[in-house]
DNA sequence: GAACAATTGAGAGAAATTTCGCAATTCATC
DNA sequence: GATGAATTGCGAAATTTCTCTCAATTGTTC
């Protein structure tokens, strides 16, 4: 079960490639060159080939890659062969937007339940998308019972570590963190920190 | 006015440091060591010192950094000395969430206007936050007239390049792109691509 | 004011990541 | 079935980023 050792950056790009391949598939393209795919993903073709090299050999020289084969291969590595259930904690501005967004399914993820400290304040998403919003007190049990492996944290900074602890104790394996909080987790748990304020803030450097 | 050459990663972290410093300031802490600040930001202290090294020398050996001085210095480099006006294009799920979020002001950014292809569909944010939502046809003029330098793109992928072109032609200097589209821009324009689907997707690799 | 503890700043070294270069392979054509 | 054009896969080189080390400096204590 030992995952091959793949650089984090490469894993991220594999996710991009996968989406591009999906799009090619929809357009009934059945073969792409590394140049085609790379430019669709916004990277250099050498980079793409090096990235794919971590996964295996899927191309045929002179021709390129079979979209279907490559897509299946990446899906395999990325564990996207089946829909991955996800819980979301914090149904505020951002959390609600994420729930309403329908696009994650296509990427292989489904938000199956949401949790909030005040679920009664939350109206829209439940009805709109069929995602139930529970009280955060039931988070631990839910995650454990449904063996949920991925969680999205969209609570205020002050509550970030708290809900993370619950997730971790209940066996979560990966967290997408939107709060500014620096989350403390065991080695085995992976955290992707998306810090929107910092992303915007860093643009300040480049203007004027 | 040539900016010092600072690695992108460092710029991003400077933004983190700045937020942490702000928090220290609120707590009336007036001196921090590189260890304190680094752990608040979730990085190693050697990394922090190296990052600050790009900016200048602000610490006193044996003591640490003056929160106020350092914060001012970073603000200077990051161009956050004054509130940076920002336009947002695409007031859908995500765009509306960003508008409703009040935290960007504290980071030195203010969404002064939003644009959508169908502004009549958009209700909430305008009234709630006092951010007017205009038709996208007026985007170019608005950006040019108000000399807006930073834009947030939150439209569907298919419209990403289109609105980007308008922004670029009108003199935008930096873009925060939430759409999956790979945006094509001139060298002088900086794009921060926040690809939520890819961030979530890449977690798939790490589970199980 | 000498000894000590704390802590920065910066150069050197290590590690990670990206880019390059090119042999190997495949398909199409003559 | 040989020639040529296209394109992968991979080792090597280049670049970027991170970490380590330690001398230099400051404040504090005796
Ligand atoms: N919305 C944005 O555009 C934006 C931008 C930058 C950063 N962020 C960050 O994303 C996070 C969410 O932002 P938001 O605007 O959606 O905030 P929000 O205040 O609108 O929503 C937070 C939600 O979390 C819930 N909550 C609070 N404590 C909780 C707990 N212990 N357990 C479960 N739920 C709890 C609240 O009831 C609320 O519904 C914040 O950390 C914020 O700093 C958001
Ligand atoms: N919401 C999420 O959680 C989420 C997650 C991942 C990615 N994204 C990406 O973020 C972007 C926005 O997502 P969303 O969920 O808010 O989408 P959305 O469909 O809710 O909103 C898009 C908005 O853009 C407007 N629009 C369309 N074409 C336009 C144009 N040419 N000019 C101006 N406005 C235009 C639409 O009227 C709509 O209001 C999309 O690219 C999406 O793929 C969103």
């Amino acid at each position: 079960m030992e995952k091959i050792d793949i650089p984090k950056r490469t894993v991220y790009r594999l996710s991009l490639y996968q989406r591009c391949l999906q799009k090619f598939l929809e357009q009934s393209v059945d073969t792409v060159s590394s140049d085609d795919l790379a430019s669709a993903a916004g990277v250099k073709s050498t980079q793409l080939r090096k990235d794919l090299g971590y996964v295996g050999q899927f191309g045929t020289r002179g021709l390129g890659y079979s979209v279907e084969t490559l897509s299946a291969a990446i899906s395999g590595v990325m564990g996207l062969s089946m829909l991955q259930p996800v819980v979301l904690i914090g149904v505020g501005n951002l959390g609600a937007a994420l729930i309403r967004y329908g696009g994650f399914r296509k990427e292989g993820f489904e938000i199956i339940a949401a949790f909030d400290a005040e679920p009664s304040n939350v109206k829209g998403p439940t009805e709109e998308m069929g995602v139930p919003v529970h009280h955060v007190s039931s988070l631990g049990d839910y995650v454990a019972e449904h063996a949920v492996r991925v969680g999205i944290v969209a609570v205020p900074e002050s509550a970030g570590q708290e809900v993370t602890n619950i997730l971790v104790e209940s066996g979560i394996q990966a967290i997408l963190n939107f709060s500014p909080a620096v989350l403390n987790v065991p080695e085995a748990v992976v955290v992707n920190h998306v810090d929107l304020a910092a992303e915007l803030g860093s643009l300040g450097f480049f203007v004027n």
Side-chain angles (χ1 to χ4, degrees), chain A residues 153 155-165 167 177 179 181-183:
Chain A
V153 172
V155 298
E157 174 169 24
S158 56
Q161 187 62 56
E162 183 188 338
V163 304
T164 298
N165 292 344
L167 289 171
N177 175 33
S179 90
V182 175
L183 301 183

Side-chain angles (χ1 to χ4, degrees), chain A residues 97-99 101 104:
Chain A
L98 293 169
I99 291 175
Y101 179 66
F104 290 136

Side-chain angles (χ1 to χ4, degrees), chain A residues 139-145 148 161-173 175 184-186 189:
Chain A
L139 174 61
D141 288 344
Y142 189 99
V143 169
E145 267 171 39
V148 179
Q161 187 62 56
E162 183 188 338
V163 304
T164 298
N165 292 344
I166 299 173
L167 289 171
V168 168
E169 278 162 29
S170 314
I172 214 87
Q173 290 176 12
I175 293 173
N184 215 281
V185 296
V189 177

Side-chain angles (χ1 to χ4, degrees), chain A residues 67-172:
Chain A
V67 173
E68 205 171 325
T69 306
L70 185 54
S71 168
I74 296 181
S75 278
V77 174
M78 300 292 285
L80 304 174
S81 324
M82 52 193 55
L83 211 56
Q84 183 75 242
V86 177
V87 292
L88 180 146
I89 304 96
V91 190
N93 295 320
L94 190 55
L98 293 169
I99 291 175
R100 287 199 203 97
Y101 179 66
F104 290 136
R105 273 191 87 91
K106 247 183 27 189
E107 312 268 337
F109 295 83
E110 182 180 16
I111 299 176
I112 58 167
F115 297 84
D116 201 285
E118 283 156 25
S120 54
N121 287 356
V122 176
K123 280 284 148 55
T126 312
E127 289 119 44
E128 283 169 40
M129 304 297 296
V131 176
V133 180
H134 304 295
H135 191 271
V136 70
S137 58
S138 61
L139 174 61
D141 288 344
Y142 189 99
V143 169
E145 267 171 39
H146 294 73
V148 179
R149 301 203 181 93
V150 178
I152 300 177
V153 172
V155 298
E157 174 169 24
S158 56
Q161 187 62 56
E162 183 188 338
V163 304
T164 298
N165 292 344
I166 299 173
L167 289 171
V168 168
E169 278 162 29
S170 314
I172 214 87

Side-chain angles (χ1 to χ4, degrees), chain A residues 54-66:
Chain A
Y54 288 107
V55 178
Q57 289 185 207
F58 307 104
T60 51
R61 298 175 179 200
L63 238 198
Y65 302 87
S66 150

